[in-house]
Amino acid sequence: MKKLKDDIVLIVKGIKEISGIRSGLLSLIIIRSIFSALSPFVNIYMSALIINSITEKHAIDYLLSLAVITVAANFLVALISSLLNHIISIRQSEFNWIYQINKSCKIMKMTYSAVEDPATHYLLQKIIEAANMNNGGIIGLLEAIQNLLQHFFTVLFSISLTISLFFTPPLISSPFVSFITSPYLSVLIFIIILINVFVSMYSSSTMEKKMYLLMKNAVQFNRTYTYYLENYITNYHTGKDIRIYNQQDLIRSEYVSLLDTARVFINKLSHNQIKYSMVTTISTVLLSCIIYLYIGIKALLGIFSVGYIVQYIGSIIQFTTGFTGFMTQLVVLRTNNEVLKLYFEFMNMPDDVDQGTLSINKSHVSKFEIEFKHVSFKYPHTENYVLKNLNLKINTKKSLAVVGMNGSGKTTMIKLLLRLYTPTEGTITLNGIDISEYQYNDYINIFSVVFQDFQIFSFGLGQNVAASTFYDQSKVKTCLKKAGFFDRLSTMSKGLDTSLYKDFDEDGVEISGGEAQKIAIARALYKNAPFVVLDEPTAALDPVAEYEIYSKFNEIVGNKSAIYISHRLSSCRFCDDIAVFHKGELIQHGNHDSLLADKEGKYYELWNAQAQYYNA
């Protein structure tokens, strides 16, 4: 009972979500369901009247009027249904679009720790796969509600046209007539109809459940199919690897394996459908024989006119179909709840980090001092500390290089600095105040960052630099020039309007990894924040371009504070301070000369390990 109550609560919550995504859609669906259900009953009812009129030899003008009414009613119902279908089609497209946008916006709003958590990706993947495989989740709920409503109104209309079958009094009296018209026989016939309905319902619901399980087991197959045949092969960026490494055979073998899996899956699906459909068919045929016999005898006894045979048989068939469909959709709704739970679990994940209340006006503040005070950190769901007891000051208008081996905690320190994560222990302060107390957007606005895994989008060059549709062209060009991209810009016929890559524009320009890195640096400069954070900013640059960036570092950064993360120690010499990390701890801190003078220190070891390659 509790499970049923929980299912109802979840379905109601889903219906409210649908109304919130696209208001008015459900009201239109209800109206369309009425007209869609009504459509067959217009012909059933009017056919009965016309046949009765013929058998009773009514005047020709009366027959013509019935024919005109039938045509007009059909035309009107079809016209309204067509109009509603058109409107709902547009609204439903909008619904699907807004639904997808809401999921995307949710990802952009949630905490970065949740975004980086594999559990989040797994949850979202399950939601997407359920939607792709059998329209599960919110989309599935909307579809099930539409079917449920149409079946519900079909049952109502069929009952209204069938009820007189069981209560029409006979015109003659005899034992046989009394038996045929007795309420006991009517109840028996009704019970037989219900038995057929429940047999059909059981077969349909069992088939639905088994199909759901089969589809659920096909998730891995669908993932592989989507990866190889829809994403990997169609992505032109992978075309080079496919050709150079002769991956055609590998992909073909995977495809053949997929076909074998698909064959087994389709066979199971077909066997499941045939098995349970056969039960429904046999039950329906037996019911039809009994109903035809019952109605035919009543008609022969003159209890009702011949035309009512059409009305009653048609209505009972519609009732059986409608009631079976209605009950089946209830099963579908409850089955769909499993995916609906995943959707709400995803949408209810924590959003932004603590917003804070203190404001920062970077144009009015002349000094920014950041300090890590006994900061330790370990990632969620892990036991090992990535940073341990970090104490470090970052001063205004100073440049700090952060160096160390892979996994030493350098990038994690930046994530904490940018409030992408919260320290497990200790605090980070800005001008003596815990950074969590500042308004999040104000705080983030004092940083321009080039991440190691930065992204360049398939938009225009100017839009990529400004991160906006509208931008200052002169400022964008200045930033590109500082970042060393200006010569490349001069070769682009559309200038700042040049599309990067060919995903959306066949005239788009392919750029190298080094050129992409320069654009990312220009983007950081365009933001014009007091702090510039560069995480391996020259990793993809050739030595000449790298030297150009280093030699112009002071010009690029200007009077801003700079935090520079690099594996190449030769690039750290121009920085005011150098922080050396090892195994999550800050083990040395000073300038290049002082650190190099300590021959027992880690910096000296790293410097000489790299220097031998430059000297060779």
Side-chain angles (χ1 to χ4, degrees):
M1 196 59 157
K2 184 179 185 302
K3 177 71 167 63
L4 177 61
K5 183 180 178 182
D6 291 342
D7 281 341
I8 293 172
V9 169
L10 189 58
I11 290 168
V12 170
K13 186 177 180 181
I15 291 172
K16 289 179 179 177
E17 182 78 358
I18 291 171
S19 298
I21 293 173
R22 193 65 183 91
S23 61
L25 177 59
L26 286 176
S27 299
L28 286 169
I29 286 172
I30 292 171
I31 297 170
R32 182 180 67 176
S33 298
I34 293 172
F35 281 94
S36 296
L38 180 64
S39 181
F41 292 100
V42 170
N43 288 323
I44 289 171
Y45 180 70
M46 294 306 299
S47 296
L49 289 181
I50 290 171
I51 292 171
N52 285 338
S53 179
I54 293 171
T55 57
E56 293 169 10
K57 299 180 181 179
H58 287 159
I60 190 68
D61 57 341
Y62 180 69
L63 280 171
L64 287 174
S65 66
L66 289 178
V68 169
I69 291 171
T70 302
V71 172
N74 274 298
F75 176 76
L76 185 61
V77 170
L79 181 65
I80 294 173
S81 295
S82 178
L83 181 61
L84 287 169
N85 284 336
H86 176 69
I87 297 171
I88 289 172
S89 176
I90 295 172
R91 295 285 180 92
Q92 196 153 348
S93 295
E94 293 171 350
F95 171 87
N96 293 338
W97 181 73
I98 295 170
Y99 166 72
Q100 297 296 343
I101 290 293
N102 285 353
K103 284 198 303 181
S104 299
C105 288
K106 177 63 184 179
I107 295 170
M108 291 188 286
K109 286 170 60 181
M110 68 173 55
T111 59
Y112 183 76
S113 59
V115 173
E116 206 171 40
D117 190 342
T120 303
H121 294 276
Y122 180 67
L123 177 61
L124 185 57
Q125 185 65 28
K126 286 173 70 176
I127 294 169
I128 293 170
E129 285 169 351
N132 291 339
M133 294 289 283
N134 54 7
N135 285 334
I138 287 291
I139 301 294
L141 176 64
L142 180 60
E143 184 177 319
I145 288 171
Q146 295 184 66
N147 295 331
L148 189 76
L149 286 169
Q150 182 162 341
H151 291 312
F152 173 75
F153 289 116
T154 296
V155 169
L156 284 185
F157 292 138
S158 62
I159 289 174
S160 66
L161 291 185
T162 309
I163 196 72
S164 60
L165 169 64
F166 302 102
F167 298 103
T168 304
L171 299 176
I172 59 175
S173 178
S174 73
F176 183 69
V177 171
S178 298
F179 169 73
I180 290 297
T181 58
S182 71
Y184 299 108
L185 184 59
S186 297
V187 170
L188 179 61
I189 295 295
F190 186 69
I191 289 172
I192 291 172
I193 293 173
L194 287 182
I195 289 173
N196 172 262
V197 166
F198 283 108
V199 168
S200 300
M201 184 189 71
Y202 172 77
S203 298
S204 299
S205 63
T206 305
M207 183 175 70
E208 282 285 340
K209 288 178 181 178
K210 292 199 173 185
M211 281 182 65
Y212 181 80
L213 290 175
L214 283 171
M215 299 294 275
K216 196 174 179 181
N217 293 332
V219 166
Q220 188 58 46
F221 158 78
N222 189 54
R223 283 180 186 169
T224 309
Y225 174 87
T226 302
Y227 175 75
Y228 277 110
L229 302 184
E230 292 186 6
N231 295 338
Y232 191 78
I233 292 176
T234 57
N235 187 337
Y236 72 90
H237 292 293
T238 63
K240 298 186 288 293
D241 282 329
I242 289 174
R243 286 154 180 79
I244 296 300
Y245 293 101
N246 291 319
Q247 293 178 342
Q248 296 93 330
D249 290 338
L250 169 65
I251 294 170
R252 194 177 293 111
S253 66
E254 286 291 332
Y255 179 66
V256 170
S257 176
L258 281 174
L259 284 178
D260 292 337
T261 305
R263 208 171 285 117
V264 173
F265 170 71
I266 291 169
N267 285 338
K268 287 182 178 179
L269 210 60
S270 300
H271 176 73
N272 180 59
Q273 288 176 319
I274 291 170
K275 177 182 174 182
Y276 291 101
S277 296
M278 189 177 295
V279 173
T280 303
T281 301
I282 293 171
S283 176
T284 303
V285 168
L286 290 174
L287 173 69
S288 298
C289 292
I290 294 170
I291 293 298
Y292 274 103
L293 185 62
Y294 178 68
I295 294 174
I297 291 172
K298 277 199 166 186
L300 287 172
L301 292 173
I303 296 174
F304 48 73
S305 302
V306 177
Y308 286 106
I309 296 176
V310 175
Q311 178 176 318
Y312 293 142
I313 289 175
S315 298
I316 289 173
I317 290 172
Q318 288 292 327
F319 173 82
T320 304
T321 304
F323 195 79
T324 301
F326 180 81
M327 299 304 291
T328 300
Q329 288 306 310
L330 290 180
V331 175
V332 171
L333 281 174
R334 296 190 68 179
T335 305
N336 182 64
N337 274 355
E338 186 176 336
V339 184
L340 203 56
K341 283 179 186 175
L342 298 178
Y343 170 77
F344 284 116
E345 182 183 342
F346 174 74
M347 295 303 290
N348 291 333
M349 292 182 73
D351 281 345
D352 295 330
V353 294
D354 294 337
Q355 290 298 312
T357 56
L358 299 179
S359 61
I360 302 174
N361 190 331
K362 63 184 181 182
S363 62
H364 293 165
V365 179
S366 59
K367 177 183 177 183
F368 290 102
E369 182 180 82
I370 293 174
E371 184 174 5
F372 287 75
K373 296 181 179 180
H374 304 290
V375 170
S376 296
F377 177 76
K378 55 184 176 182
Y379 284 99
H381 317 302
T382 62
E383 296 299 323
N384 297 324
Y385 280 92
V386 183
L387 282 179
K388 305 169 191 172
N389 197 32
L390 174 61
N391 291 281
L392 178 67
K393 278 187 180 181
I394 304 171
N395 296 313
T396 305
K397 300 180 182 179
K398 294 279 187 177
S399 57
L400 170 71
V402 182
V403 302
M405 299 172 67
N406 286 335
S408 60
K410 305 185 299 297
T411 299
T412 299
M413 182 199 82
I414 298 302
K415 290 178 180 178
L416 293 173
L417 174 65
L418 299 175
R419 287 171 67 178
L420 298 177
Y421 283 93
T422 302
T424 308
E425 299 168 14
T427 57
I428 305 172
T429 62
L430 171 65
N431 293 346
I433 299 172
D434 192 320
I435 60 174
S436 65
E437 295 185 28
Y438 291 103
Q439 292 180 19
Y440 182 74
N441 288 334
D442 279 5
Y443 180 77
I444 287 301
N445 280 337
I446 70 172
F447 294 98
S448 290
V449 188
V450 180
F451 290 105
Q452 193 171 353
D453 54 351
F454 66 88
Q455 296 295 315
I456 298 297
F457 302 101
S458 297
F459 301 147
L461 173 60
Q463 291 175 333
N464 265 285
V465 173
S468 174
T469 305
F470 307 102
Y471 52 86
D472 183 333
Q473 293 196 15
S474 176
K475 185 178 175 182
V476 168
K477 289 179 180 178
T478 299
C479 294
L480 287 170
K481 186 174 184 179
K482 286 184 178 180
F485 193 84
F486 202 71
D487 290 342
R488 181 72 170 95
L489 173 62
S490 63
T491 67
M492 296 178 173
S493 59
K494 295 182 181 179
L496 298 180
D497 292 328
T498 302
S499 294
L500 301 182
Y501 309 118
K502 298 180 182 293
D503 296 290
F504 307 121
D505 185 353
E506 62 182 13
D507 296 324
V509 173
E510 292 292 324
I511 56 174
S512 66
E515 289 171 337
Q517 209 152 29
K518 290 178 180 179
I519 294 171
I521 292 172
R523 180 194 291 161
L525 297 178
Y526 187 91
K527 187 177 180 181
N528 194 31
F531 279 92
V532 178
V533 181
L534 307 175
D535 188 355
E536 294 288 350
T538 61
L541 299 181
D542 59 71
V544 174
E546 182 183 33
Y547 175 77
E548 182 184 353
I549 293 291
Y550 293 153
S551 62
K552 294 181 178 180
F553 184 80
N554 289 331
E555 178 187 345
I556 291 173
V557 174
N559 61 352
K560 308 179 192 315
S561 304
I563 304 172
Y564 182 86
I565 299 176
S566 179
H567 288 95
R568 301 176 186 176
L569 272 64
S570 59
S571 63
C572 302
R573 299 181 64 174
F574 56 82
C575 292
D576 299 313
D577 292 303
I578 300 172
V580 184
F581 281 69
H582 185 62
K583 294 183 178 180
E585 297 185 63
L586 175 62
I587 58 173
Q588 287 182 283
H589 187 203
N591 59 35
H592 171 74
D593 293 332
S594 65
L595 292 175
L596 200 58
D598 181 5
K599 296 184 178 182
E600 300 298 321
K602 190 69 178 178
Y603 186 82
Y604 180 85
E605 175 190 333
L606 294 172
W607 174 268
N608 282 281
Q610 293 183 15
Q612 61 178 313
Y613 297 105
Y614 291 104
N615 295 329

